[in-house]
Amino acid sequence: MKESYSIYDLLEQIQKRPAMYVGSFELERIILYLAGYRHAMMEQGVRDESTPDFSGFHEFVRDKFQFPGSSMGWPNLILAKTMGLNPQDVTWENYNQGVTPELHKEAVLEFFRLIDEYRCTEVNDPTETETRI
């Protein structure tokens, strides 16, 4: 049995064949899949040794797109930005009604670009001693 894993290894697999893992190109499906995977690993006592810690990804996206203090979750932030909404005045209630499959796919592609960028940021240097929760 594995003792540790990296969420980024799983994300690389999802990126290659998203429909196989999550069914359709939607960020909500990806986050739900990741939550289930992480839960199963935790239940089995398998540690996530991802570097940088994936838990900082939301703050990275929020800061990159300049969403003021948003707690809407990274899938919503990425989708809103992909839709061309202004981060300073998004009205979150029903913001995503009428989103086309093409926009969802574009948001998923943006998510994977952001993951690559997040993993390379100096702020998330693996030699950093502070752990984000």
Side-chain angles (χ1 to χ4, degrees):
M1 175 189 261
K2 291 174 94 174
E3 292 182 15
S4 66
Y5 72 98
S6 171
I7 199 75
Y8 301 114
D9 292 339
L10 176 62
L11 287 171
E12 287 173 10
Q13 292 174 6
I14 294 171
Q15 183 176 15
K16 290 176 188 173
R17 301 185 70 186
M20 184 178 96
Y21 287 93
V22 297
S24 65
F25 285 90
E26 294 180 25
L27 293 174
E28 281 300 317
R29 291 194 176 233
I30 291 174
I31 197 169
L32 290 172
Y33 187 92
L34 294 177
Y37 183 83
R38 293 177 86 176
H39 178 78
M41 291 293 138
M42 187 177 67
E43 286 290 311
Q44 295 300 311
V46 181
R47 295 179 314 278
D48 181 1
E49 294 187 354
S50 302
T51 303
D53 188 329
F54 187 71
S55 66
F57 184 67
H58 170 78
E59 288 81 13
F60 170 79
V61 172
R62 184 195 62 211
D63 294 347
K64 178 168 183 62
F65 292 145
Q66 300 176 348
F67 282 94
S70 179
S71 62
M72 289 304 297
W74 58 261
N76 292 313
L77 302 181
I78 295 170
L79 183 58
K81 188 66 175 170
T82 302
M83 294 170 63
L85 300 178
N86 183 337
Q88 305 304 314
D89 63 0
V90 174
T91 303
W92 292 108
E93 186 175 334
N94 300 320
Y95 84 98
N96 60 352
Q97 284 192 330
V99 175
T100 64
E102 291 79 19
L103 275 173
H104 276 298
K105 185 173 184 176
E106 190 177 324
V108 168
L109 295 174
E110 179 65 11
F111 164 68
F112 286 115
R113 283 190 292 272
L114 289 167
I115 286 292
D116 289 343
E117 184 178 338
Y118 175 66
R119 291 181 72 184
C120 294
T121 58
E122 197 170 304
V123 171
N124 294 301
D125 186 330
T127 61
E128 196 177 73
T129 57
E130 180 181 337
T131 302
R132 292 186 189 181
I133 298 176

